[in-house]
Structure formats: structure tokens, C-alpha cells
Amino acid sequence: MYVCPICSEKLKLSNKTYRCRSGHCFDLSRKGYVNLLLTKGRNPAKSGDDADMVRSRTEFLDKDYYAPLADRLCQVTAERMKDIKEPVIIDSGCGEGYYTTRLAGIEGSRVYGIDISKHAVAHCMTRVHLAGITNCEFAVASGFQLPFRKECADAVVSVFAPVSNDEYARVLKNSGVLIVVSPSARHLYELKAAVYDEPYENKPNVYGLNKFNLDEEITLEYPAHIPSREDIRSLFMMTPYAYKTSEEGMARLAALTDITVTCGFVIQVYTKKTF
Ligand SMILES: C[S@@+](CC[C@H](N)C(=O)[O-])C[C@H]1O[C@@H](n2cnc3c(N)ncnc32)[C@H](O)[C@@H]1O
Ligand SMILES: [Zn+2]
């Protein structure tokens, strides 16, 4: 499945090292993932989520507030994979593997998670080991240079992560599907209303997916009661608002002891255009 990020030749695993024919080597980490991000592409400012963000996301996701999204995502993906014997699914920008490990429940699936953050990928390995999952592999890599061969995947899934028109089209089979999850207009509106003077609705993401046709769009919205300061803070810290909130806003956040928020998601299913 994996290709060498230097020369694009196939990588073979032997004695815990991936090697290509040209002799480039990538060792499995102690936790069992491989880092296929080239050093020159490793800009610390662009190395994805840091350890604190990964911890916040894990703490929040593990309370299953977003379980209805995980269930719906798996249902939509499984439906598209139902006639395929061993579907290959790539979760691009997989974070700490909450959705990836659930996608691995799809019958016969082989699931590959990639993320540019090594903290996130290390956590994915902990998750699969704890759950005894054997059909998931993880690599540190960029969604804009996927370490997979051409037309190898039946599905690419991207949940709240950067989206690459060219790379997703390259790695998907012609019959493959791209499933993108983004926030709906009302996602977490009540949290923003509690923190900001002028809360705003989210604008739809524009991905420029000109190599794909939109085939299906599902909006999933439900209220979630968040009953503790800790969970409210974890939720806030895993959003982009964590970077751009004033001290006054953070003080209002800290004063919240519970809140009911709208969890709102748009699941889009795209098919590949054939030229
Ligand atoms: C908002 S998080 C979503 C994570 C996960 N999909 C989830 O929903 O729990 C965005 C993720 O994209 C990753 N990321 C950012 N830029 C990336 C890139 N160029 N390639 C791959 N992953 C990237 C971040 O490290 C982070 O884990
Ligand atoms: Zn190579």
C-alpha cells in the first residue's frame, strides 16, 4: 500500500523497516506507526495538532458526544463498501483515530489513517492496541502528499481535516468515493454565543473538488448537553476558536458550568469524475 515519499516506489516491510527498491528506509516507531513525512516538509509551524490539542480532542471524543456522527459516518461508508470484498479505506487527517478505529468495524475493511501530527498518530496506536484492532495501520504523512500508490483505495474519508482534490483523486480507484465531514452552519453556535458578543454561523467550506461530483449530502444535527467545566474546555480547545479568543472570552468560557450545544455536521459523499 505505502509508497516511498522520496522516489514513489513501493515500500515493503521487513524486520520493522519499510524499504523501497532504491534503498530508502523508514523504521516503524516503538508504538508501531511509520513516519513518512520528509524532513524538508516538516515545518514545525505546520506539523498539525500539538500534544495539548490531541489530549483535549481525545478527552472530549472519548465521552462520545460525537458518537452519532461516528455511527452515521460508518453507516454511510459501509453502505458504499457493501459490494467490495476487502475495502481499502484511508482516513486522511485522522487525528487521534476516533473515527478511524470505528471505520475499521466495516466488514473485511483494511483501514489506513494518516495525519501530519506525530502526537495524533502515536495516540492512534494506543487506541488500536487497547481495543485489539488488527486491521488499521497508521503513518505520519501529509494529506497533500499521500504515501499511497495510485488508485489503491475504495474510500477516502476526511473529517474536519484539510482536503486535497489532486491527492484524493490520485489514490482513489475510479469506482471509489470521497467522504468529507465538515461543521454545519449551527455547529456549536450556543458555545460561541456564550463566549463572543457577536456569535456567527459557520460558512460552508469550499474545497475546490473539481475532480469529483457531489453524490449525496447529509446534514446531521442534534443537541448535546455538556455537564462539566472540563468537557466544555476540552471541546473549546479542539476548535479553531481556541486560537482566536480574547482574555474576556476565555473568562466567560471558564465561568460556564454546563451548556447545551448543537452538534451539527455535513457529510458529503463524492464520486470521482472520469475524464
Ligand atoms: C480538526 S482535526 C480532526 C481530526 C480527526 N479527523 C477528528 O475529527 O477527530 C484536524 C487534523 O488534521 C491534521 N492535519 C492538519 N494538516 C494536515 C495535513 N496537511 N495533512 C494531514 N493531516 C493534517 C491535524 O494534525 C489534525 O489532527
Ligand atoms: Zn525510495
Side-chain angles (χ1 to χ4, degrees):
M1 267 299 284
Y2 290 132
V3 294
C4 174
I6 300 168
C7 67
S8 303
E9 291 280 351
K10 275 187 198 161
L11 286 175
K12 276 199 184 149
L13 182 62
S14 164
N15 293 330
K16 301 197 172 175
T17 298
Y18 278 100
R19 286 190 175 80
C20 72
R21 275 201 317 206
S22 315
H24 303 123
C25 299
F26 304 89
D27 293 337
L28 279 187
S29 70
R30 265 189 301 121
K31 288 201 155 209
Y33 65 85
V34 59
N35 191 337
L36 297 174
L37 198 62
L38 295 180
T39 319
K40 73 177 167 66
R42 288 183 204 163
N43 175 347
K46 291 186 184 163
S47 53
D49 286 3
D50 61 22
D52 283 348
M53 286 194 86
V54 170
R55 197 173 312 112
S56 296
R57 179 169 304 108
T58 304
E59 281 168 10
F60 183 81
L61 289 175
D62 280 349
K63 302 270 172 83
D64 281 337
Y65 294 110
Y66 287 0
L69 168 62
D71 290 346
R72 196 63 187 271
L73 174 66
C74 289
Q75 183 197 12
V76 169
T77 311
E79 177 61 28
R80 298 284 176 152
M81 300 292 107
K82 71 175 190 296
D83 296 326
I84 304 166
K85 207 166 154 224
E86 289 183 347
V88 170
I89 301 171
I90 295 171
D91 185 1
S92 180
C94 63
E96 44 67 69
Y98 180 76
Y99 302 100
T100 331
T101 46
R102 279 161 177 75
L103 288 165
I106 294 175
E107 208 183 329
S109 63
R110 282 189 296 138
V111 182
Y112 294 83
I114 69 99
D115 199 285
I116 207 165
S117 159
K118 68 172 190 237
H119 305 288
V121 171
H123 192 86
C124 292
M125 295 311 301
T126 307
R127 213 180 251 291
V128 292
H129 290 145
L130 287 176
I133 294 170
T134 54
N135 58 332
C136 263
E137 288 182 37
F138 291 94
V140 179
S142 169
F144 296 96
Q145 192 195 353
L146 287 172
F148 302 108
R149 63 186 161 76
K150 187 179 158 200
E151 295 177 14
C152 64
D154 296 289
V156 172
V157 174
S158 167
V159 184
F160 290 110
V163 168
S164 168
N165 181 50
D166 290 341
E167 275 299 81
Y168 296 175
R170 184 183 67 76
V171 300
L172 273 171
K173 294 176 186 169
N174 285 340
S175 56
V177 289
L178 166 62
I179 303 177
V180 179
V181 179
S182 55
S184 75
R186 296 290 296 177
H187 183 52
L188 305 183
Y189 186 82
E190 299 80 357
L191 188 61
K192 287 185 277 184
V195 172
Y196 300 130
D197 289 331
E198 292 179 22
Y200 54 91
E201 293 201 337
N202 302 310
K203 294 199 180 76
N205 287 337
V206 179
Y207 298 114
L209 289 168
N210 60 18
K211 294 186 175 173
F212 294 89
N213 290 315
L214 182 61
D215 197 48
E216 187 182 359
E217 183 169 292
I218 299 156
T219 300
L220 173 67
E221 283 185 339
Y222 57 90
H225 180 238
I226 306 186
S228 72
R229 274 205 171 93
E230 295 72 30
D231 288 4
I232 294 169
R233 187 174 164 80
S234 297
L235 170 60
F236 195 79
M237 294 314 288
M238 69 186 239
T239 68
Y241 323 127
Y243 298 117
K244 50 187 180 193
T245 301
S246 64
E247 267 181 35
E248 193 191 334
M250 291 309 282
R252 288 184 199 170
L253 181 79
L256 290 173
T257 51
D258 78 313
I259 191 168
T260 296
V261 292
T262 302
C263 298
F265 310 103
V266 181
I267 304 174
Q268 292 175 316
V269 183
Y270 295 86
T271 52
K272 214 170 126 171
K273 278 184 192 164
T274 41
F275 293 96

